[in-house]
Amino acid sequence: MDVRIIATTTTDLTAQINAGSFREDLSYLLSVFPIRVPPLRDRREDIPHLLDHFMDKVSAEYGRRFYFTQKAQSVLQKYGWSGNVREMENLVERCASWWKARK
């Protein structure tokens, strides 16, 4: 059997291991090829590109073009994004749904 496990966490596993709430041996098994992706709030230069991507996606889904004004994009670029990229995608989808319901 060939099995691959992809796992993600926002928890500091070293601290969890030291606290006894995460198994050290499991950490070694999962950390074969670690990839650290900084949170979105630490890479604000990606926000306009991600917004464009998600707006293109919902525009194709709803069959009409949606966009954020420059002022709205500026506000979104300053936002903390604790939920990261998934939070942004959900926001764009909710906005598109709301815009579509208005028309």
Side-chain angles (χ1 to χ4, degrees):
M1 181 182 324
D2 185 15
V3 177
R4 309 252 183 230
I5 297 174
I6 299 174
T8 182
T9 184
T10 57
T11 303
D12 180 356
L13 290 182
T14 304
Q16 295 297 315
I17 291 167
N18 292 337
S21 59
F22 194 83
R23 290 178 26 198
E24 187 172 13
D25 63 321
L26 184 56
S27 171
Y28 293 128
L29 290 171
L30 292 174
S31 296
V32 172
F33 189 70
I35 300 172
R36 184 184 182 289
V37 178
L40 187 54
R41 65 185 164 274
D42 292 344
R43 43 191 184 103
R44 297 190 184 279
E45 67 279 0
D46 292 346
I47 291 172
H49 305 291
L50 288 166
L51 281 172
D52 286 344
H53 169 74
F54 294 133
M55 293 307 290
D56 288 345
K57 184 178 170 183
V58 297
S59 293
E61 182 180 330
Y62 286 103
R64 62 182 283 213
R65 182 71 189 144
F66 296 102
Y67 64 92
F68 284 106
T69 64
Q70 196 63 33
K71 185 175 180 178
Q73 287 187 32
S74 177
V75 169
L76 293 173
Q77 201 151 10
K78 293 174 186 168
Y79 180 69
W81 299 110
S82 60
N84 232 331
V85 176
R86 172 53 81 180
E87 180 184 11
M88 178 187 286
E89 184 175 18
N90 290 343
L91 173 84
V92 170
E93 289 177 11
R94 282 191 308 271
C95 288
S97 178
W98 179 80
W99 285 321
K100 184 175 183 201
R102 286 186 52 205
K103 300 295 177 184

